[in-house]
Amino acid sequence: MKLATLPNGSRDGRLVVVSRNHTLAASAETIASTLQDAIERWSEVETPLRALAERLENGSASGAFEFVEAEALAPLPRAWQWLDGSAYESHGALLRAVSGRAAPPNDGPLMYQGLSHTFYSGTDDFPTPSEEHNIDFEGEFGIIVDDVPMGVSVEDAAKHIRLVVMINDWSLRGFAMRESKIGFGWVQAKPPCSVGPVAITPDELGEFWRDGRVDLPLIVDWNGERFGAAQGYHMAWSFPEHVAHAARSRSLCAGTVIGGGTVSNENFREVGSSCIAERRGIETLDEGKAHTRWMRFGDRVRMETTLPDGTPLFGVIDQKVVQG
């Protein structure tokens, strides 16, 4: 099942079900007014939402209309909580090698809590004050959970993953080093994220939802040129492990969004990268200094993941950086 949020003048938009090929949608407002409403009542609304999705596929959904990805908001335009992990060891090891920092001791995935009152849509311009802040994109996969009890096991945590999303976790690298040295943050380095227009239930991935991971490449283009196509499977910690880690000492409210961190593979020299910082790190190790620049006003970044046959999944993130 595929869900999206369309604008209706409110902060949270209105919920629609989307066809598998992303050409049609049907209003789900008689079942759940918003995606947050649906997640909070998932056990009650999942069956009627799936029935509506099936009617949309077979052409019997009343009031079906054309779905335009570019008109959609983020699936959750705002959320109660956003937690971001860093599950790709090749990414962390590379950046530590460049910075000279040791690997942090931990008994689970690295994770921070970021701002969640705003998520940009997949086509919103990204406003930021200055190019001097070293603007970077970060391609990620993420999940949305229903209510998760404190102390949940990894096995049970998997049952609380209701939706999968694609995320551009914008970063201002000029602030990141200072905030990481302080050991408190992130704040200035982490503006709002962007989320692809369509949120999907894990079964839409079929065999490519494997071991609690998205086993597909995340395609990243910068100004029309291929920048990366890293495979999402290579997480040191699965999404169920992220959920259990986050809920170790507290419950998680329905609608909590959890990211898996910048998608990265050990063969990054061949498959490319999902952020500029990683590319610059490779250049520093290989050539002694970085030469890939950071983003500038007017630059565009595009992200997409599809099934091998080309079936769309999360829709497209295609954004321009502007002075805010």
Side-chain angles (χ1 to χ4, degrees):
M1 177 169 59
K2 298 186 173 186
L3 301 172
T5 297
L6 295 181
N8 65 352
S10 72
R11 290 188 174 188
D12 300 302
R14 64 186 182 99
L15 181 64
V16 298
V17 170
V18 178
S19 63
R20 287 194 171 92
N21 63 7
H22 292 198
T23 61
L24 295 174
S27 174
E29 290 178 283
T30 59
I31 303 170
S33 57
T34 65
L35 184 57
Q36 180 65 36
D37 179 29
I39 290 291
E40 290 178 358
R41 299 188 295 116
W42 193 259
S43 61
E44 174 187 342
V45 304
E46 181 182 11
T47 297
L49 284 174
R50 286 188 179 275
L52 175 59
E54 186 59 33
R55 294 196 300 274
L56 187 61
E57 289 301 318
N58 65 31
S60 64
S62 176
F65 56 91
E66 180 184 6
F67 177 65
V68 180
E69 286 187 2
E71 295 177 356
L73 306 175
L76 282 175
R78 55 178 178 168
W80 288 107
Q81 187 167 217
W82 155 240
L83 303 170
D84 196 18
S86 183
Y88 293 88
E89 290 187 330
S90 55
H91 177 75
L94 173 64
L95 297 189
R96 286 194 299 271
V98 174
S99 67
R101 288 180 292 170
N106 67 299
D107 58 355
L110 298 173
M111 187 174 288
Y112 76 91
Q113 184 165 348
L115 73 84
S116 60
H117 67 274
T118 299
F119 285 98
Y120 294 127
S121 80
T123 53
D124 280 336
D125 289 343
F126 172 65
T128 192
S130 172
E131 293 178 342
E132 296 179 0
H133 295 157
N134 297 347
I135 308 160
D136 199 358
F137 49 80
E138 293 189 64
E140 303 189 14
F141 296 115
I143 57 170
I144 303 174
V145 299
D146 61 9
D147 286 305
V148 180
M150 181 174 63
V152 69
S153 68
V154 173
E155 181 181 7
D156 287 341
K159 303 171 186 176
H160 292 279
I161 297 174
R162 299 306 186 184
L163 297 168
V164 186
V165 292
M166 181 179 67
I167 298 167
N168 180 9
D169 177 29
W170 289 101
S171 289
L172 301 178
R173 302 292 187 182
F175 295 118
M177 185 59 69
R178 178 180 61 82
E179 289 193 318
S180 64
K181 288 179 178 178
I182 291 171
F184 226 61
W186 312 98
V187 176
Q188 293 174 338
K190 286 295 183 179
C193 299
S194 307
V195 184
V198 179
I200 66 174
T201 49
D203 57 282
E204 288 292 333
L205 289 160
E207 65 183 295
F208 302 103
W209 177 248
R210 187 162 68 92
D211 302 325
R213 298 162 168 87
V214 179
D215 189 15
L216 290 167
L218 198 162
I219 306 301
V220 180
D221 295 333
W222 180 13
N223 289 335
E225 296 185 2
R226 184 58 39 85
F227 194 82
Q231 287 280 345
Y233 180 77
H234 301 288
M235 301 169 73
W237 305 90
S238 69
F239 278 116
E241 288 173 305
H242 277 69
V243 176
H245 175 81
R248 184 174 183 178
S249 60
R250 58 176 174 172
S251 62
L252 305 180
C253 64
T256 295
V257 186
I258 302 177
T262 305
V263 178
S264 175
N265 300 163
E266 289 186 358
N267 60 333
F268 36 58
R269 291 178 179 84
E270 289 77 45
V271 301
S273 299
S274 302
C275 72
I276 299 171
E278 185 171 288
R279 173 70 61 82
R280 288 171 59 88
I282 297 167
E283 293 166 350
T284 299
L285 292 181
D286 291 353
E287 306 170 37
K289 65 177 181 179
H291 57 78
T292 297
R293 64 172 176 84
W294 302 106
M295 297 190 82
R296 297 171 181 161
F297 299 141
D299 281 3
R300 301 197 73 95
V301 62
R302 185 183 190 277
M303 300 179 183
E304 185 178 21
T305 291
T306 68
L307 292 177
D309 64 2
T311 300
L313 288 169
F314 312 104
V316 173
I317 291 175
D318 188 354
Q319 296 182 275
K320 182 172 68 174
V321 177
V322 298
Q323 187 167 21

